[in-house]
Amino acid sequence: MNLTANQFKKDFGQMFENLYAFDIKNSTPIQQYTALGNYLRILYSDDWNKTNKKYLGDQVKQVYYFSIEFLPGRMLKSNLLNLGILDTVRVGLNDMGLDFDNIVKSEADPALGNGGLGRLASCFMDSIASLGLPGNGNGIRYRYGLFQQKFVNGYQVELPDNWLRNGNVWEVRKENKSVIVRFGGQVGLVKGANGNLRPTYFNTQNILAVPYDTGMVGYQNDVVNNLRLWSAEIPPEEEIHYHTIAEREQVNKITEVLYPDDSNYEGQILRLRQEYFFTSAGIQSIVHYYKQTDLTWQNFPNKIAIHINDTHPSLAIPELMRVLLDEEDLSWEQAWEITKKTMSYTNHTVLQEAMEKWPIDMLKDLLPRVYQVIEEINRRHIDKKLPLYGSDLTYRTAIIADGYVKMAHLAIIGSHSVNGVAKLHTEILMHDVLNDFYQMYPAKFNNKTNGITQRRWLHLANEELTSLIDDKIGIDWKTNPAELKLFKAYITDQATLKKLGEIKLKNKEKFAAYVKNEMSIDINPEALFDVQIKRLHAYKRQLLNVLHIIDRYVQIKEDPSLSIQPRVFIFGAKAAPSYAYAKQIIKLINALAKLVNNDKDVGDKLKVVFVENYGVSLAELIIPAAEVSEQISLAGKEASGTSNMKLMLNGALTIATLDGANVEIRDFVGEENLFLFGLNDQEVQTFNENGSYHPREIYAANPRLEKVLNTLIDGTIPDIETEGRAIFDSLVYHNDEYFLLKDFDSYIESQEEIDQLYKNKTKWNQKSLINIASSGPFSADFTIQRYAEEIWKIDSQLVHLHHKTFLTEPI
Ligand SMILES: *Cc1c(COP(=O)(O)O)cnc(C)c1O
């Protein structure tokens, strides 16, 4: 976009006065931010409109990415970057005497997701637009995002996240695109105009779904795609039926809060309402859109791809069937053919507790017609597969069984593609968790390893590193991340290595200032910064990290003169409010931090920092400062991980188990440039099958580990009587489900290797450089290119030739 700083100052100053009717000199940063956001939205509105019209006019195939979570992070800077006016606006604001960084921080960080799944959806939105692909998001406009986390006496406390307090400059309410979503009631057959019997719904509760659209600005390519988030309201014509506040509340509740659950199945009826609400609204709006063209229904899958991100939107399958059967009068066979060809599904987890299933009666009462459709899908599935696969296998794949409706089964049967999110994860799906389906539908299964957008996670988050890379290899890596590998040429260039170290130190100083400011903890920027940032889950094994920290503490206390590499252990993690064990671990980490950080024998040798309220904005501050990336989940449990990719891209060295995408990171970066430890997934499986794991024996036989574990129950760590005992018992007496004791020695050994390497700054920086240079393959641009070509069959609409040809595959 062409814009000079002078033009910007003039236009923006005018914009401000038009909005607020007073001079910008007297304004707050929030007002400045609001005016700037409005200014930008208007600036790209023409491209937004044009993009939309082009897709419709040319009747190009589009993908709709259905996700119950999006975690976009603040959008001001990324929109400026993608519009190509970040520097211009920064200079202009500075000329006006305004503080750019303060304006940026005034934006609320929309926490409309829990973690990896939601953040993936937002990285995908960036890549889809930046590759010029016709694609849209479909989700929920939660009134309150994921809770704000505070620590009180070391315990997690959850406060509401009122992210819309100051409005939202990026969204556009489109009541003209509203649709009605129906719940409850009964289904009957009524004779239609053509004399055929047609399912008709009675006594339904009708909810108005109002879309709020947000432009997804592509990277300097004039493309603006659409993210559509739905809000639930009472339809104006039905206001009269709502007599009490409680009745009205019931409607608002549908889009009020994001479930703070991550990998734990949440069996609330409200959750089911949310899932149907945004799914039905999305399907209806796609069908309205399609009917603007005069194409036949048979052409629907040639123009529309619908992607189901995890099972939460899998009601899209019976909902599209319902619309095609009941509203468009298609035959079952036609409707089913269209639905299957349109839908594709991503599985995100192998954890049994996360597999969605709904009690039959709940689904039947809430969605009677949808339930009938699911029953018929199930009946036909069983009829067709029984003669081919026999009854054992066939009935194991039933959608309705044991009193439940199984959403993953529905998603697989109703889609033409089922993908996992890392090579290992997809293997586990095919050969273990979803093996029954793999036997029936081998061709549906495929892998699409997750990715991250280098534009947010390197360019925006780490501007100093970005300019170093730009200096050395040029700027093409921003649109062709494969080019990052050119940076390897500087592996022996002392000046570059030195510069890399200086940039890291600067980023560490910046984070240290934040920690001092917010938490009044002094950390030494020269110490090694060791980072584990992700949702708190037993399988992610933050507790193994804790055992290592305690081990260091014990050693220092035994010999205060011990010479040891100073380290700062940095945690960021929210626990689901109902996940007691995760909350006990939070309390333990905070108690340990208090003990360690205030012990004079310890000093700078060991610090523990647990930041409150981890989210995208904090990730952008922490990741550029990280030197060690903790990716230590029990092998076989983490589907992919994406913080592993972000940290590597910023030069952190990974300590990892062979789990999720860590396996591919190892393949690209080379075994000598990361630190692997612990059991592999096969070994874990063997222990589990044989019941041959006995943590009590390890506890009894390993004096070093015994000392560490005893600190949980002997008062060494104060104020954790209940939590320490519960955690100790889970490890020693309740069979240590995640094999912490088994992996302890090998983890400690890897950590010691890290200390050794850190002594040699040149070698360390070389490995850091190789990590940065090897992270191109983990760009979401590649991931999305594979989805586009292999699953969605959509084409880039970029007219600029150079945009079209340069995304080369990494080797
Ligand atoms: C990337 C990201 C995650 C995912 O982290 P994992 O370590 O892959 O679980 C979660 N939360 C936020 C805010 C992120 O940016």
Side-chain angles (χ1 to χ4, degrees):
M1 190 155 282
N2 282 322
L3 184 73
T4 63
N6 280 335
Q7 187 67 40
F8 165 73
K9 284 188 282 187
K10 198 165 136 252
D11 294 351
F12 176 58
Q14 188 62 53
M15 174 94 212
F16 189 91
E17 284 177 28
N18 290 350
L19 263 182
Y20 286 101
F22 61 80
D23 203 285
I24 198 163
K25 283 196 201 79
N26 306 317
S27 60
T28 65
I30 289 178
Q31 291 167 329
Q32 295 155 18
Y33 160 74
T34 304
L36 186 55
N38 276 297
Y39 171 84
L40 288 184
R41 199 193 59 248
I42 292 167
L43 207 60
Y44 64 68
S45 62
D46 189 44
D47 282 341
W48 195 1
N49 196 6
K50 276 188 188 147
T51 303
N52 222 341
K53 280 196 176 138
K54 179 174 163 52
Y55 294 166
L56 181 62
D58 296 356
Q59 299 191 344
V60 299
K61 184 171 184 183
Q62 299 191 52
V63 66
Y64 294 83
Y65 195 83
F66 279 36
S67 179
I68 202 164
E69 301 186 4
F70 287 90
L71 199 53
R74 291 178 176 137
M75 282 183 282
L76 178 63
K77 258 171 99 174
S78 75
N79 282 342
L80 286 169
L81 174 70
N82 287 8
L83 291 169
I85 56 174
L86 178 58
D87 293 332
T88 310
V89 167
R90 213 193 305 241
V91 169
L93 291 171
N94 194 47
D95 286 355
M96 294 169 85
L98 302 173
D99 184 336
F100 180 67
D101 289 339
N102 257 338
I103 295 176
V104 168
K105 281 186 207 146
S106 305
E107 179 174 3
D109 181 347
L112 310 185
N114 275 292
L117 176 126
R119 183 54 229 171
L120 183 78
S122 286
C123 278
F124 280 7
M125 288 295 112
D126 181 77
S127 286
I128 290 172
S130 294
L131 294 176
L133 290 161
N136 313 275
N138 186 71
I140 294 176
R141 181 183 183 266
Y142 300 101
R143 182 72 188 70
Y144 294 91
L146 184 61
F147 64 85
Q148 273 200 55
Q149 180 194 53
K150 293 263 179 236
F151 296 140
V152 177
N153 294 329
Y155 291 103
Q156 170 175 291
V157 172
E158 301 99 24
L159 303 178
D161 171 38
N162 187 8
W163 71 289
L164 289 167
R165 185 190 302 272
N166 298 313
N168 175 4
V169 293
W170 309 115
E171 69 184 12
V172 178
R173 177 183 166 93
K174 297 212 176 129
E175 59 255 38
N176 61 322
K177 300 277 172 75
S178 300
V179 299
I180 294 285
V181 177
R182 297 187 190 85
F183 291 99
Q186 298 88 36
V187 185
L189 290 172
V190 172
K191 213 176 232 169
N194 58 3
N196 292 340
L197 288 177
R198 182 186 243 231
T200 310
Y201 322 142
F202 302 98
N203 304 321
T204 54
Q205 186 192 20
N206 300 340
I207 308 290
L208 188 70
V210 182
Y212 286 74
D213 287 358
T214 300
M216 298 284 109
V217 179
Y219 182 74
Q220 300 177 13
N221 63 4
D222 307 333
V223 170
V224 182
N225 284 336
N226 202 34
L227 168 63
R228 176 159 286 181
L229 302 180
W230 298 92
S231 182
E233 296 181 12
I234 297 169
E237 63 277 13
E238 307 220 359
E239 286 279 2
I240 190 146
H241 303 308
Y242 289 83
H243 300 292
T244 64
I245 291 180
E247 284 170 352
R248 307 182 64 88
E249 275 299 297
Q250 216 219 341
V251 175
N252 296 333
K253 250 194 168 148
I254 297 174
T255 52
E256 191 135 284
V257 292
L258 164 75
Y259 272 87
D261 247 274
D262 190 64
S263 305
N264 274 301
Y265 160 70
E266 183 55 62
Q268 298 286 321
I269 190 165
L270 181 57
R271 173 79 165 192
L272 182 56
R273 273 180 178 264
Q274 290 186 329
E275 294 185 357
Y276 183 66
F277 174 77
F278 89 97
T279 304
S280 170
I283 293 288
Q284 291 186 59
S285 110
I286 291 167
V287 168
H288 286 173
Y289 179 87
Y290 186 73
K291 287 169 82 170
Q292 292 177 62
T293 70
D294 43 16
L295 295 161
T296 62
W297 286 111
Q298 276 62 36
N299 262 313
F300 191 84
N302 302 327
K303 299 295 171 186
I304 307 283
I306 295 174
H307 199 84
I308 299 171
N309 191 31
D310 214 332
T311 54
H312 322 116
S314 48
L315 290 173
I317 290 161
E319 178 64 4
L320 181 58
M321 288 296 290
R322 184 192 68 77
V323 171
L324 296 177
L325 295 169
D326 296 358
E327 293 174 13
E328 305 301 335
D329 283 323
L330 269 66
S331 72
W332 182 278
E333 289 73 15
Q334 286 174 313
W336 184 240
E337 197 58 26
I338 292 167
T339 300
K340 261 195 321 189
K341 283 184 179 163
T342 303
M343 302 288 171
S344 50
Y345 155 63
T346 297
N347 172 289
H348 279 272
T349 181
V350 298
L351 304 182
Q352 264 317 309
E353 63 269 30
M355 294 294 176
E356 279 196 305
K357 55 184 189 183
W358 300 104
I360 289 176
D361 287 342
M362 187 192 283
L363 211 154
K364 203 177 192 169
D365 287 349
L366 189 69
L367 307 166
R369 178 57 182 151
V370 168
Y371 181 73
Q372 288 179 348
V373 173
I374 296 173
E375 258 186 327
E376 183 62 12
I377 295 173
N378 187 48
R379 191 187 66 77
R380 288 177 184 240
H381 168 73
I382 301 288
D383 275 5
K384 192 168 155 197
K385 299 299 178 188
L386 213 43
L388 298 170
Y389 298 98
S391 90
D392 283 3
L393 177 60
T394 302
Y395 281 106
R396 284 202 305 268
T397 64
I399 300 168
I400 304 174
D402 321 318
Y404 289 97
V405 180
K406 300 181 174 176
M407 302 308 264
H409 296 199
L410 174 63
I412 298 166
I413 291 165
S415 300
H416 64 86
S417 166
V418 176
N419 75 280
V421 291
K423 271 186 194 156
L424 176 66
H425 170 60
T426 302
E427 290 292 318
I428 292 172
L429 292 181
M430 293 193 299
H431 302 300
D432 182 8
V433 180
L434 299 179
N435 179 257
D436 293 335
F437 290 98
Y438 181 59
Q439 290 187 47
M440 276 182 187
Y441 310 109
K444 284 192 190 187
F445 282 77
N446 63 93
N447 176 56
K448 297 285 170 283
T449 300
N450 282 167
I452 55 162
T453 166
Q454 70 277 16
R455 290 169 291 273
R456 176 175 291 268
W457 293 110
L458 177 51
H459 196 149
L460 287 174
N462 200 341
E463 293 193 20
E464 299 250 356
L465 180 55
T466 297
S467 32
L468 175 66
I469 296 173
D470 286 356
D471 275 358
K472 299 299 170 197
I473 66 168
I475 61 167
D476 283 354
W477 60 271
K478 291 162 201 182
T479 43
N480 181 14
E483 299 235 329
L484 277 171
K485 66 170 177 279
L486 300 176
F487 197 39
K488 273 190 195 146
Y490 294 86
I491 184 73
T492 54
D493 184 65
Q494 291 305 321
T496 303
L497 295 172
K498 188 159 162 274
K499 186 82 185 132
L500 209 53
E502 288 165 7
I503 291 167
K504 186 61 81 182
L505 183 61
K506 257 194 175 171
N507 293 330
K508 288 162 74 182
E509 285 164 351
K510 197 171 149 198
F511 178 65
Y514 174 88
V515 169
K516 176 72 182 165
N517 233 342
E518 297 289 318
M519 310 175 71
S520 306
I521 300 174
D522 285 300
I523 55 175
N524 180 2
E526 304 278 351
L528 189 161
F529 280 19
D530 179 315
V531 170
Q532 189 171 22
I533 42 174
K534 47 186 78 250
R535 284 302 289 257
L536 217 137
H537 259 288
Y539 85 83
K540 289 177 184 279
R541 302 203 294 188
Q542 279 94 350
L543 193 51
L544 182 58
N545 190 342
V546 170
L547 296 183
H548 169 229
I549 299 170
I550 298 174
D551 179 63
R552 288 195 174 221
Y553 177 72
V554 169
Q555 285 186 52
I556 294 167
K557 290 306 281 183
E558 281 179 355
D559 173 13
S561 69
L562 184 75
S563 156
I564 187 172
Q565 169 59 46
R567 271 208 214 199
V568 181
F569 290 89
I570 297 156
F571 293 91
K574 289 180 180 177
S578 61
Y579 191 174
Y581 190 64
K583 291 177 119 175
Q584 290 171 330
I585 293 170
I586 287 182
K587 171 63 180 173
L588 167 62
I589 299 173
N590 281 324
L592 180 62
K594 193 171 162 195
L595 173 71
V596 163
N597 296 345
N598 297 299
D599 189 319
K600 290 213 171 46
D601 289 343
V602 174
D604 273 354
K605 287 175 187 165
L606 192 54
K607 294 275 182 202
V608 179
V609 172
F610 196 159
V611 296
E612 277 176 340
N613 204 37
Y614 176 62
V616 173
S617 295
L618 266 171
E620 288 166 357
L621 180 68
I622 297 169
I623 290 170
E627 294 177 297
V628 168
S629 163
E630 299 274 351
Q631 308 299 337
I632 60 177
S633 52
L634 177 65
K637 296 288 181 189
E638 185 74 272
S640 161
T642 48
S643 77
N644 45 4
M645 302 168 185
K646 300 166 197 166
L647 284 154
M648 170 194 191
L649 176 66
N650 280 273
L653 306 198
T654 309
I655 179 165
T657 49
L658 278 176
D659 198 15
N662 300 346
V663 178
E664 288 143 272
I665 289 180
R666 189 264 325 256
D667 293 344
F668 279 106
V669 82
E671 190 141 1
E672 65 286 6
N673 295 308
L674 81 176
F675 299 88
L676 293 173
F677 74 97
L679 297 171
N680 65 30
D681 69 300
Q682 288 300 322
E683 292 164 338
V684 171
Q685 202 181 338
T686 305
F687 272 118
N688 282 333
E689 280 167 7
N690 301 342
S692 51
Y693 179 45
H694 305 295
R696 271 177 86 169
E697 290 170 9
I698 299 181
Y699 173 70
N702 184 337
R704 186 169 174 178
L705 178 56
E706 187 188 336
K707 266 187 209 162
V708 169
L709 290 168
N710 287 348
T711 65
L712 298 171
I713 48 170
D714 66 7
T716 306
I717 306 170
D719 196 30
I720 54 155
E721 284 75 20
T722 320
E723 296 79 17
R725 170 53 70 181
I727 293 167
F728 180 92
D729 286 354
S730 79
L731 297 177
V732 178
Y733 296 118
H734 304 151
N735 230 49
D736 183 19
E737 191 181 346
Y738 298 99
F739 294 82
L740 276 69
L741 307 202
K742 180 75 191 164
D743 279 351
F744 178 79
D745 277 349
S746 121
Y747 182 56
I748 296 285
E749 205 177 298
S750 281
Q751 292 288 13
E752 280 162 7
E753 285 172 34
I754 287 176
D755 280 354
Q756 285 312 311
L757 181 69
Y758 200 70
K759 289 184 182 150
N760 186 334
K761 284 283 136 59
T762 302
K763 278 198 178 146
W764 183 274
N765 289 334
Q766 281 181 323
K767 289 191 196 291
S768 174
L769 184 143
I770 292 173
N771 270 271
I772 297 165
S774 307
S775 57
F778 300 100
S779 168
D781 290 356
F782 292 120
T783 312
I784 282 301
Q785 196 177 40
R786 295 184 193 114
Y787 274 92
E789 284 174 8
E790 295 163 21
I791 301 179
W792 303 330
K793 319 277 186 206
I794 56 171
D795 295 318
S796 174
Q797 300 300 304
L798 293 180
V799 284
H800 320 293
L801 191 65
H802 69 283
H803 276 298
K804 251 192 176 158
T805 48
F806 60 32
L807 192 63
T808 53
E809 280 289 305
I811 314 151

